[in-house]
Every structure is written in C-alpha cells, then in structure tokens.
C-alpha cells in the first residue's frame, strides 16, 4: 500500500455550447492527473465509490 501526500483536487462539469444536445462531462484534476468522462458513464462509478467509502467509514468509525 502506498500512502499519498495530501493534495488539493478539483472537479467540475463542462458541456459544449451548440444548437444540438451535447454530452455533459465530469473532469477531475488531482496533482498531475486529469481525467474526464461523460456524466452518464461517471454516475454508476461514483455511486459505487460512495457505497464503498460509506462502508469503510462505518467499519472504521471515521466520518467527514
């Protein structure tokens, strides 16, 4: 297991401005890493991550 140094990250949504419907993207930047994915693809992943972190918080007694 590798410990990560605390860093500030950023997450934001973007969508192109066009006369037709455009996909909304979630962008996540942390350190030198930068990822982007369509919100429709990110939503199930984020739900699963939330479930995992909630379970880990409950087991450890830690909470935000």
């Amino acid at each position: 297991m590798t410990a990560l140094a605390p860093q500030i990250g950023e997450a934001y949504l973007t969508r192109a401005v066009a006369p037709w419907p455009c996909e909304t993207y979630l962008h996540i930047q942390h350190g030198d890493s930068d990822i982007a994915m369509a919100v429709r693809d990110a939503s199930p992943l984020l739900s699963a991550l939330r479930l995992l972190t909630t379970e880990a918080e409950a087991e450890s007694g830690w909470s935000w």
Side-chain angles (χ1 to χ4, degrees), residues 14-42:
T14 62
R15 184 181 324 164
V17 178
W20 52 85
C22 294
E23 193 96 43
T24 300
Y25 282 85
L26 169 66
H27 297 262
I28 301 173
Q29 295 175 331
H30 185 265
D32 293 335
S33 299
D34 183 10
I35 63 170
M37 65 176 66
V39 169
R40 66 178 160 78
D41 297 332

Side-chain angles (χ1 to χ4, degrees), residues 15 19 21 36 41 49 52 56-58 60 62-63:
R15 184 181 324 164
D41 297 332
L49 288 172
L52 290 172
E57 288 173 2
S60 70
W62 181 84
S63 180

